[in-house]
Amino acid sequence: SQQGEEDPQALSIQEGENATMNCSYKTSINNLQWYRQNSGRGLVHLILIRSNEREKHSGRLRVTLDTSKKSSSLLITASRAADTASYFCATDAGGAQKLVFGQGTRLTINP
Amino acid sequence: SAVISQKPSRDICQRGTSLTIQCQVDSQVTMMFWYRQQPGQSLTLIATANQGSEATYESGFVIDKFPISRPNLTFSTLTVSNMSPEDSSIYLCSVLKTWTGGSTGELFFGEGSRLTVL
């Protein structure tokens, strides 16, 4: 079964607003990663946060990690139409250098 | 970073036939992964392919159905055998960028191969 559970499954907001997506996982991890997928294409790595980190920033992205709650959030600030995509969290709980992906959040930014 | 080329990008296949997907990487990598993404779903790992050894398959996936080759450090193929409509998916090749610390690092993905089985 998938390690990560994400919510919401779908999110639709207006351009310029902030988008927040959440990910929960079940077992201990070394790191958690977020990926973006545009319309059925390949995934692109966005950001990686280690288990000993609580928050990380990259441009308009902010990721938090709460290992006590086994959860992470991805915040996209000042959203743009080009941010429309599916976003997946992934953890290394699969072992042997394997990543296990969550179900994903489908984000739509309305102009 | 790594640039990964997958072929074909898409195909429409007849039930009972087999199709081989190719994955070419622009640099030498030790570990390559094949994922399946069924329509509207997340990614599921099919197998890990290391050069010089047999691929390691995940639960629910078998070599007879998804034979994999890994002849060198820059190339791999995945064959989807005896296809049925349930095999209609995007198949994604990915390679690992491993930390020096040994933890699982980020993956680089090809653009995927979208297969439709009629």
Side-chain angles (χ1 to χ4, degrees):
Chain A
S1 63
Q2 295 295 332
Q3 164 77 334
E5 298 291 333
E6 296 183 59
D7 77 274
Q9 289 187 330
L11 178 62
S12 182
I13 61 174
Q14 293 302 119
E15 195 167 21
E17 295 180 338
N18 296 341
T20 299
M21 290 158 273
N22 303 296
C23 169
S24 61
Y25 56 92
K26 298 177 181 175
T27 60
S28 61
I29 61 172
N30 294 306
N31 66 62
L32 184 145
Q33 305 180 36
W34 286 90
Y35 289 79
R36 183 184 72 216
Q37 184 181 36
N38 290 345
S39 188
R41 302 186 68 183
L43 277 72
V44 174
H45 180 265
L46 294 176
I47 196 165
L48 181 153
I49 185 166
R50 304 179 194 185
S51 59
N52 62 354
E53 298 175 313
R54 293 296 168 260
E55 188 171 309
K56 202 163 184 179
H57 297 254
S58 177
R60 294 184 295 112
L61 305 180
R62 189 188 89 173
V63 168
T64 62
L65 179 64
D66 187 334
T67 53
S68 67
K69 296 181 179 178
K70 292 186 169 59
S71 67
S72 174
S73 68
L74 171 67
L75 168 68
I76 303 174
T77 60
S79 63
R80 306 167 182 170
D83 295 328
T84 295
S86 292
Y87 292 82
F88 295 91
C89 67
T91 64
D92 62 351
Q97 300 184 328
K98 294 184 293 188
L99 289 184
V100 178
F101 286 82
Q103 293 300 311
T105 295
R106 188 170 62 253
L107 175 65
T108 302
I109 308 299
N110 302 303
Chain B
S1 65
V3 176
I4 303 171
S5 302
Q6 267 188 252
K7 289 192 296 187
S9 58
R10 60 178 61 228
D11 208 339
I12 298 173
C13 309
Q14 296 300 316
R15 182 195 299 259
T17 63
S18 299
L19 183 80
T20 296
I21 302 166
Q22 299 179 5
C23 178
Q24 179 76 52
V25 188
D26 69 342
S27 57
Q28 294 184 340
V29 294
T30 302
M31 301 183 75
M32 296 178 74
F33 304 90
W34 286 97
Y35 284 87
R36 182 177 73 181
Q37 186 178 27
Q38 294 176 303
Q41 302 297 313
S42 185
L43 280 73
T44 301
L45 181 64
I46 297 172
T48 302
N50 292 336
Q51 193 270 335
S53 63
E54 293 288 326
T56 303
Y57 289 83
E58 297 299 304
S59 176
F61 297 96
V62 296
I63 188 170
D64 289 347
K65 176 67 175 178
F66 298 100
I68 289 171
S69 76
R70 184 79 202 274
N72 57 52
L73 291 173
T74 64
F75 188 78
S76 178
T77 67
L78 169 75
T79 299
V80 186
S81 303
N82 189 25
M83 287 185 284
S84 67
E86 292 71 33
D87 294 319
S88 297
S89 295
I90 299 172
Y91 293 86
L92 294 145
C93 167
S94 68
V95 303
L96 180 69
K97 178 182 175 184
T98 305
W99 288 7
T100 55
S103 300
T104 302
E106 65 183 89
L107 293 179
F108 295 97
F109 283 86
E111 287 297 309
S113 298
R114 183 186 293 270
L115 301 188
T116 301
V117 185
L118 303 178

